[in-house]
Amino acid sequence: MNFTRWSARFPGTQRRAAARTEHAAAQAKRGEGAVPAARGGRADPGAERSTPADGHPADSTVSGTGTGTGTGTGTATGPGTGTAPAQRTGVLTAVPSLDELSVREVLGRLPALVALVHGPEHRVAYVNDAYTAGFGARTPGAPAHEALPELGELGLLPLLDQVQRSGKPRTAKNRTAPGGGSSYTVTCTPVEFPTTGGTAPEAEAHHAGVLIHLADVTDHAEAVERLRASERRQREAAVTLQRSLLPQELEQPDDLRIAATYQPGGTEAAVGGDWYDVITLGAGRTALVIGDVMGRGVRAAAVMGQLRTAVRAYARLDLPPHEVLQLLDGLAAEIDASQIATCVYAVHDPNEGLLAYASAGHLPILVRDEHGTVRRAADPTGPPLGTGGWLHTSGTIPLGPGSTAVLYTDGLVERRGEDIDEGVAALERALAGAQGTPSVICDRLMRALGVDADHDDDVAVMVLQQPARSGADAELFHNAALELLGGIEAAPRARAFAQGVLASWRFPVELCDLGVLAASELVANSLQHGTPPMRLRLRRTDRRLIIEVTDGDDHLPRRRRAEPADETGRGISIVATIASSWGSRRTPGGGKAVWCEFALPDK
């Protein structure tokens, strides 16, 4: 096939060439083909008298099929469509027309790999020098699946069929040869061969071809892969940091069964700042917290870790939920004013059968009672942490025997294009039918809400149950309380009450004596420093004995060193010495509670 006598015509090329010819002829007819020289330009005085090599005198204008502009004394028009500056000697150079260039000359100089195929079997018509250098010489006339096996390895043969059928160009990006070879971006463009004989329909049917242009993008592909590898390493670091900051093993209170799970977002999503924790407060009470730091990556995880550490410190003060959030609000603004976090902090008291909570912009707690009815924890809910200027308040929701509560982050219920209330309603329906242990319920809720490895957001879920005990299990949990009316008879009555209750619970004699001594000291301290109403409460679980005294005064006792001559100040020290742990807190209605715990011997 002679490439010097024909050229591959792209759609519209012939029409544009004809238009240029007509435009040039019209300009020549009107005398518009000459354009004045640039202002300030100085022509060579001998340029007008110079004679070209062909012996014809030079003119200020040279007419052709197109126009070109020089920078000498006159204007040179050549057969091209652009402008050509004059050389310094004043000799004007004509620009060749694109129609005068051969396809072989144009395609052969391209640095990209170019191949031309034609016919239904995509037989090879031409490959340029760059293609030959990249893949070797090819036999003209052979089908592409035999002569161009690299196209099959790149998955381009079906693309050639599509281009030939549709007559529209197609591009395939970042195609990598098998074995980790070079990467190419391939453009396949339909072309029509000129008719060489026969009728036009037959020529068109047999001379439709595809021009294949392969641009080597190996460096770009490698750079992209390095960037992706860096992003994967950063994600792995963030996930590792996130998981290391979460509790490795949840504390398990005597009265609750708790399970939690954390699912990071899919590979295309950066890790967020979801977190949760369980903190035993003493006297059978348990703090539960879950939150979400807005933002992504290591920074969000680091802020989450600081907030979680602060929550554990504030929880040890045994403050009401709203006071804990008030402290966290100020801390979040100090850590990073640009980071905002939502959080819900709740405290479970088995004596009251309630879950006291406060929320900072977080989603509501869901509680399913023993009858299967699901309720949302209502207001109060304040703005997220870090906003400042808000006075948080606490609320309560019943959590009795047989109840299940769920705390979660927005990744579980939030979906693009849906209102978040629809997601919470879906979670309510899933919770109503979820049965089993807390860990089983966690898994079922995640599946019911469609959370998988490719989920686009982090998800944290915590499930807690207050078991309904019966039979032998119920015998391990007892409560007894005595109202103290004051007076000199209060202390003897408290000792007698404690002695009888502990003996009925079949504790060892040594433990009974220690329990009676602790109850006597706590009651004596309350009688001396507290105000009515006063109450002594004894409680046992399967793991510990709890003694608690409440009164109406809100001044918390502290342990101090008593001098040998002092007659008072030794009660709390005695309790702290004989008990496993002790503490005090202010009660919601005013007043305080002082408690101590004794670990039960293993059976």
Side-chain angles (χ1 to χ4, degrees):
M1 186 172 296
N2 187 0
F3 277 79
T4 61
R5 301 187 61 184
W6 65 273
S7 62
R9 301 292 187 179
F10 295 94
T13 303
Q14 294 175 342
R15 291 192 298 272
R16 289 194 295 269
R20 289 197 301 270
T21 302
E22 295 174 359
H23 178 67
Q27 282 186 331
K29 183 177 181 180
R30 294 193 303 266
E32 297 176 354
V35 180
R39 293 182 180 178
R42 182 181 180 90
D44 187 351
E48 295 182 0
R49 295 187 299 272
S50 62
T51 302
D54 57 2
H56 297 284
D59 196 356
S60 60
T61 62
V62 180
S63 299
T65 59
T67 63
T69 304
T71 59
T73 58
T75 301
T77 60
T81 58
T83 63
Q87 298 181 3
R88 293 185 179 180
T89 59
V91 178
L92 302 180
T93 303
V95 178
S97 170
L98 181 63
D99 295 337
E100 295 180 357
L101 298 176
S102 68
V103 173
R104 182 184 296 275
E105 186 177 3
V106 173
L107 300 183
R109 295 186 179 182
L110 291 179
L113 284 67
V114 177
L116 183 65
V117 298
H118 69 96
E121 294 183 348
H122 309 299
R123 295 185 177 275
V124 178
Y126 167 76
V127 293
N128 69 348
D129 294 340
Y131 198 103
T132 302
F135 294 113
R138 294 295 182 264
T139 304
H145 67 275
E146 297 178 0
L148 305 175
E150 57 276 359
L151 299 185
E153 295 175 354
L154 294 173
L156 298 176
L157 295 179
L159 189 64
L160 298 179
D161 295 332
Q162 295 177 13
V163 171
Q164 199 167 51
R165 286 195 305 267
S166 64
K168 297 180 180 179
R170 294 286 189 272
T171 299
K173 297 182 178 180
N174 296 333
R175 294 294 180 95
T176 303
S182 300
S183 298
Y184 301 93
T185 291
V186 185
T187 301
C188 298
T189 306
V191 295
E192 294 182 0
F193 286 65
T195 303
T196 58
T199 61
E202 293 177 356
E204 291 178 2
H206 292 85
H207 291 83
V210 178
L211 183 67
I212 307 167
H213 180 279
L214 295 90
D216 193 332
V217 294
T218 304
D219 293 342
H220 173 74
E222 292 176 351
V224 170
E225 183 56 34
R226 287 194 297 269
L227 179 60
R228 290 176 178 173
S230 176
E231 291 176 347
R232 284 193 298 269
R233 288 192 297 269
Q234 292 182 7
R235 172 182 167 77
E236 291 171 1
V239 170
T240 301
L241 175 63
Q242 174 87 346
R243 291 193 181 279
S244 65
L245 293 175
L246 292 175
Q248 304 303 306
E249 184 177 354
L250 290 179
E251 299 180 23
Q252 294 294 330
D254 298 349
D255 299 276
L256 295 176
R257 284 186 259 174
I258 304 176
T261 183
Y262 169 73
Q263 174 68 50
T267 56
E268 299 299 326
V271 177
D274 293 14
W275 56 289
Y276 57 83
D277 207 351
V278 178
I279 309 163
T280 53
L281 302 178
R285 301 166 70 251
T286 306
L288 309 130
V289 59
I290 194 166
D292 183 5
V293 177
M294 304 303 176
R296 301 284 182 180
V298 175
R299 179 59 184 168
V303 173
M304 176 273 291
Q306 296 178 75
L307 290 179
R308 176 176 175 260
T309 302
V311 168
R312 295 193 69 87
Y314 295 148
R316 298 304 178 189
L317 302 176
D318 214 342
L319 299 172
H322 65 276
E323 293 188 23
V324 172
L325 290 191
Q326 209 71 49
L327 293 172
L328 280 178
D329 186 31
L331 179 64
E334 293 178 4
I335 292 174
D336 190 341
S338 64
Q339 292 279 1
I340 296 177
T342 64
C343 177
V344 60
Y345 181 86
V347 176
H348 175 252
D349 190 340
N351 294 319
E352 304 295 337
L354 295 174
L355 191 66
Y357 66 92
S359 176
H362 205 78
L363 295 167
I365 301 173
L366 301 183
V367 177
R368 185 187 66 199
D369 61 20
E370 65 273 22
H371 305 296
T373 303
V374 178
R375 298 176 54 194
R376 297 187 190 184
D379 289 338
T381 298
L385 301 176
T387 55
W390 182 266
L391 188 62
H392 293 274
T393 55
S394 297
T396 59
I397 187 170
L399 186 69
S403 299
T404 300
V406 178
L407 291 78
Y408 52 96
T409 57
D410 58 357
L412 182 65
V413 296
E414 190 174 25
R415 299 294 181 272
R416 293 176 181 170
E418 296 183 5
D419 191 275
I420 196 169
D421 285 336
E422 298 178 6
V424 176
L427 179 59
E428 288 180 338
R429 294 189 295 269
L431 177 61
Q435 301 293 332
T437 63
S439 59
V440 171
I441 293 178
C442 277
D443 294 338
R444 291 181 175 177
L445 294 180
M446 296 277 277
R447 289 197 302 269
L449 274 296
V451 178
D452 53 21
D454 296 327
H455 196 59
D456 60 356
D457 195 5
D458 288 18
V459 178
V461 181
M462 182 162 57
V463 175
L464 55 138
Q465 289 180 338
Q466 168 79 1
R469 297 181 174 90
S470 60
D473 189 27
E475 291 299 320
L476 300 176
F477 293 82
H478 292 284
N479 284 281
L482 173 67
E483 299 293 336
L484 301 174
L485 302 179
I488 59 174
E489 74 282 357
R493 289 183 64 244
R495 286 193 295 269
F497 175 77
Q499 182 70 46
V501 169
L502 297 181
S504 68
W505 289 348
R506 300 179 182 179
F507 285 143
V509 175
E510 181 181 358
L511 182 58
C512 286
D513 292 342
L514 292 176
V516 171
L517 176 59
S520 176
E521 293 295 337
L522 293 180
V523 169
N525 184 78
S526 180
L527 290 172
Q528 183 174 0
H529 302 287
T531 59
M534 292 179 286
R535 174 189 289 183
L536 168 64
R537 174 179 287 162
L538 305 177
R539 186 168 186 270
R540 72 156 292 172
T541 69
D542 58 342
R543 290 185 282 182
R544 73 196 77 228
L545 166 66
I546 302 168
I547 301 173
E548 184 179 70
V549 175
T550 61
D551 63 55
D553 186 81
D554 61 358
H555 290 84
L556 300 180
R558 58 185 179 87
R559 185 178 180 181
R560 64 185 180 89
R561 182 185 297 274
E563 299 296 332
D566 292 343
E567 297 181 358
T568 61
R570 295 180 176 85
I572 296 299
S573 295
I574 293 174
V575 172
T577 301
I578 64 176
S580 302
S581 60
W582 78 281
S584 61
R585 72 178 187 279
R586 291 186 174 88
T587 53
K592 65 177 179 295
V594 185
W595 54 269
C596 65
E597 294 181 351
F598 294 88
L600 300 184
D602 296 333
K603 295 183 179 179

